[in-house]
Amino acid sequence: MRTLISTAFISLDGVVEAPGGEAGYRNAGWTFKDVDFLPEAFDLKGREQKEATAMLMGRASYEAFSPVWPDMADFADYKVMPKYVVSTTLTEDDLVSNWGETTILRSLDDVAALKATEGGPVIVHGSASLNQALSDAGLIDRYHLLVFPLLLGAGKRLFSATDKDTQKLELVEHEVYANGLQKQVFDVVR
């Protein structure tokens, strides 16, 4: 069975929306403009590319990343790995041709079937709504969080507000950086 890892830039109040500056969001670009950059705080991002064997995202994140990431040197390892997009509306004609193998999954059952296959970790980028659905369905195995010392107030959250049983997490790795950023890696306890 494959490990499903949710990775996120997240504010202290749980917002994950538009960290890289995606247009149309009130606090767009908050990871770049409000906290001093320290390269060591982002080592986890490089490690994720080396360890992951596939990437999973929702339609909106795919549409945001696919025009940009294929040509970015910082994301070269992602270009060659298989990508899966969870969408009920996306068609094969909507997929870009320069980002490697991409498969459309139509449901969380399809994600569960992907997890049941042999292979290494699958990393989930962006995709706030998908992350919430995956968490509620018990499909996420690990969280890689870079927590920014910011309170953004409004915006999409990583975790759903669904009334559900407590989900215990085990902190397996953490570090605090001079700029206030915190790396928190949690395994989901089953």
Side-chain angles (χ1 to χ4, degrees):
M1 180 171 271
R2 301 175 89 163
T3 301
L4 191 60
I5 301 170
S6 171
T7 182
F9 295 127
I10 187 169
S11 69
L12 193 57
D13 57 347
V15 175
V16 294
E17 181 177 73
E22 298 80 356
Y25 298 99
R26 182 174 176 265
N27 290 312
W30 50 270
T31 59
F32 300 115
K33 63 184 179 186
D34 294 319
V35 177
D36 292 336
F37 178 75
L38 289 178
E40 61 271 21
F42 295 89
D43 286 346
L44 179 64
K45 296 292 147 194
R47 193 173 85 204
E48 288 171 349
Q49 285 189 64
K50 299 296 182 199
E51 294 174 357
T53 59
M55 186 176 3
L56 178 70
M57 65 202 98
R59 179 200 47 80
S61 290
Y62 177 80
E63 290 175 342
F65 300 156
S66 64
V68 180
W69 283 21
D71 297 323
M72 291 180 70
D74 287 346
F75 300 114
D77 291 324
Y78 287 140
K79 186 170 184 170
V80 298
M81 74 175 57
K83 281 158 280 306
Y84 298 89
V85 183
V86 180
S87 173
T88 58
T89 59
L90 207 62
T91 68
E92 295 293 326
D93 291 339
D94 297 320
L95 301 177
V96 298
S97 61
N98 64 334
W99 206 19
E101 176 190 345
T102 303
T103 303
I104 300 170
L105 304 178
R106 298 294 180 196
S107 68
L108 292 180
D109 288 340
D110 290 343
V111 176
L114 170 64
K115 275 192 62 170
T117 63
E118 293 295 320
V122 178
I123 195 97
V124 183
H125 274 286
S127 312
S129 298
L130 176 60
N131 265 287
Q132 291 176 8
L134 292 169
S135 176
D136 288 348
L139 294 173
I140 294 177
D141 301 297
R142 174 174 275 194
Y143 290 95
H144 287 182
L145 306 177
L146 285 179
V147 183
F148 283 70
L150 304 169
L151 298 174
L152 299 175
K156 293 178 185 173
R157 311 262 181 211
L158 180 63
F159 302 105
S160 79
T162 303
D163 185 11
K164 59 184 175 186
D165 291 339
T166 300
Q167 176 64 71
K168 185 172 170 57
L169 304 175
E170 178 184 0
L171 182 66
V172 295
E173 186 179 339
H174 71 281
E175 193 161 351
V176 178
Y177 302 96
N179 61 357
L181 210 63
Q182 297 177 41
K183 171 179 63 178
Q184 299 176 356
V185 177
F186 293 98
D187 281 343
V188 174
V189 177
R190 303 216 193 282

